């Protein structure tokens, strides 16, 4: 599976960004988003089953971030609203052959390159 993440940028606190992750091939995978801030471990953000039937969010982003899928475009989106400086990180998308809400990076066998999100105060 090849994954391509995009959409990062520099925004002010309170702004919104939408990240995209295009996966090839796409069906039968779960796509997750993780982030890694400088000097910190990679942490789970959200996951969606390839058909959009199931989603899960980490507590710090629940209610602010929304994950969605467009099967026609083989793309998963992460809409990030009300961004905070603590959301600053490199965001990665990853693919798993099964859906899990555990948030464990070890569930994911395929990783894309990261996209930088920087939120200024």
């Amino acid at each position: 599976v090849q994954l391509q993440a995009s959409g990062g940028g520099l925004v002010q606190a309170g702004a919104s960004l939408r990240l995209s992750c295009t996966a090839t091939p796409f069906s039968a995978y779960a796509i997750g988003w993780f982030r890694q801030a400088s000097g910190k471990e990679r942490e789970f953000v959200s996951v969606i089953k390839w058909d959009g039937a199931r989603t899960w969010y980490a507590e710090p982003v629940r209610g602010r971030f929304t994950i969605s899928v467009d099967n026609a475009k083989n793309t998963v989106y992460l809409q990030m609203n009300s961004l905070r400086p603590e959301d600053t990180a490199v965001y990665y998308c990853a693919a798993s052959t099964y859906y899990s809400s555990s948030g464990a990076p070890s569930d994911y066998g395929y990783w894309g390159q990261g996209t930088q999100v920087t939120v200024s105060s």
Side-chain angles (χ1 to χ4, degrees):
V1 178
Q2 294 187 332
L3 300 160
Q4 181 73 35
S6 62
L10 170 62
V11 297
Q12 290 188 329
S16 298
L17 276 175
R18 188 178 77 163
L19 305 183
S20 300
C21 176
T22 301
T24 310
F26 187 74
S27 63
Y29 288 93
I31 303 296
W33 283 99
F34 290 77
R35 65 187 183 185
Q36 188 166 19
S38 180
K40 296 187 178 180
E41 293 187 355
R42 190 168 298 189
E43 67 171 350
F44 169 77
V45 175
S46 184
V47 60
I48 189 166
K49 191 180 174 189
W50 70 273
D51 59 0
R54 301 182 71 180
T55 60
W56 189 253
Y57 298 89
E59 182 58 37
V61 307
R62 198 167 295 158
R64 299 187 297 123
F65 291 11
T66 302
I67 194 168
S68 61
V69 60
D70 184 337
N71 293 106
K73 296 182 178 180
N74 289 1
T75 300
V76 168
Y77 301 100
L78 185 69
Q79 178 67 43
M80 306 186 297
N81 297 330
S82 301
L83 283 162
R84 304 167 180 169
E86 54 263 40
D87 294 318
T88 295
V90 177
Y91 283 69
Y92 299 89
C93 62
S96 172
T97 56
Y98 54 91
Y99 173 86
S100 171
S101 60
S102 74
S106 58
D107 287 337
Y108 297 80
Y110 307 93
W111 293 82
Q113 91 295 350
T115 185
Q116 176 71 48
V117 172
T118 303
V119 184
S120 63
S121 58

